[in-house]
Amino acid sequence: MGCFGEYTTNKGNHYPKYGGICVVAKVDREDDLIWVSILLILIPTIISFPAVNHFYDDKLAFILDITTACTCFFTLLTLSLAHFIEPGILNVKQHSVSNEYRIVHPKTGELVDFKEYRAKFCRETDNCIENFDHYCPWISNAVGIRNYTIFFTFVSSTILYNTYLAIISWILFIDQVTHPHHDLKIAVKNTVGSAFEIVYTIAIFCTIGPLFFYHISLISTNVTTNESLKEVYLNRAANPHDKGCLKNWIYFFASCGTRRPTLVSDSHPPILADKPMV
């Protein structure tokens, strides 16, 4: 995101929001599922509070409530940042001879090939994205060079939060089912919330878990989702961006603290071009 008022005009389907502090992608309803993501985070959180406060003593319940609130907040924060951060939009222009669209070099103004920036046009946002990974409907934004690290942090925090909820739910469930003074009716009544969260966490692990490990493998080899699906590099030796697993992760963590400046704010006026065919 940029300074207040930095964005005043739209770029593709990305439009300025909240006084120009950020740009948000306006996409079709089926590609705009961020509110579903928010609900999937908040609902189990709300259910966990009464269960924890009912079955644990005040001191432990307070600690668990604070932990739940903090992990929930962090997960929502990473989701919001992945949604609001401009993903790495590049300016494009039609070549006068070939009539093909090329990327405008941000410093020299020369027209360069898409491969130079590992770029691709995102159909949903109608923008050319540097280091294009994929379009994610759960964050309602494209994932590129400027928001990939926060996207992976969101996926990781979701897994972490899900693990935490799973542990709490299983402890409560087992405690109530094995309680010597509870008959079956009381046990069922006391474990409805825990049972729901157990089913929920299993579902999340089955859906988000493979995505989490998939992106770990991508980071380890410095390949984007787009490159992986298209099999751009048929073998690891052919990938010029792969510096080895350790160096790839060092580069990834180093990029967490830095983000290249946006090229589509008022301080970097866009070079207008007709909409390219995709």
Side-chain angles (χ1 to χ4, degrees), residues 208-221:
I208 305 297
L211 178 67
F212 172 70
F213 289 108
Y214 176 63
H215 278 278
I216 285 180
S217 69
L218 293 180
I219 295 170
S220 299
T221 55

Side-chain angles (χ1 to χ4, degrees), residues 36-48 72 75-76 154 157-167 169-170 192-209:
V36 178
S37 298
I38 294 173
L39 289 175
L40 288 174
I41 296 170
L42 288 178
I43 289 175
T45 302
I46 295 171
I47 292 175
S48 71
C72 176
T75 304
L76 289 173
F154 163 63
S157 62
T158 301
I159 291 293
L160 179 64
Y161 186 43
N162 193 63
T163 302
Y164 167 76
L165 289 177
I167 293 172
S169 301
W170 275 107
V192 171
S194 299
F196 169 82
E197 296 216 342
I198 288 172
V199 173
Y200 166 85
T201 54
I202 291 174
I204 293 296
F205 276 127
C206 290
T207 54
I208 305 297

